[in-house]
Amino acid sequence: MASISPIDVQKALKGADYPARREDLVTLAKDNGADDTLVQKLNDAREDEFDGPNEVQKAVFQNE
């Protein structure tokens, strides 16, 4: 499994408008060329909506 850094998350979500739905962030990450592992972590997040990038970071890295 590829290691994901906070910078990877920032790059994947460049251009995101918050609050943002999980589905929209997954689509944006794919469009921005994010690693499949990162896309999967976003897709698996428990939250349906995020108020900002800090919440996304917490969701992505909570189980590492």
Side-chain angles (χ1 to χ4, degrees), residues 1-13 29 34-44 56-57 59-62 64:
M1 180 178 280
S3 179
I4 300 169
S5 75
I7 293 172
D8 295 329
V9 177
Q10 290 174 0
K11 288 179 182 177
L13 300 180
D35 181 89
D36 290 339
T37 303
L38 175 53
V39 172
Q40 189 61 48
K41 284 184 171 281
L42 285 170
N43 201 40
D44 291 345
V56 178
Q57 294 275 356
V60 168
F61 294 109
Q62 72 183 1
E64 289 194 1

Side-chain angles (χ1 to χ4, degrees), residues 11 46-47:
K11 288 179 182 177
R46 293 180 191 164
E47 296 80 359

Side-chain angles (χ1 to χ4, degrees), residues 18-37:
Y18 294 95
R21 295 180 343 177
R22 177 175 19 102
E23 297 82 12
D24 295 335
L25 294 178
V26 168
T27 300
L28 179 62
K30 288 178 184 178
D31 290 348
N32 285 340
D35 181 89
D36 290 339
T37 303

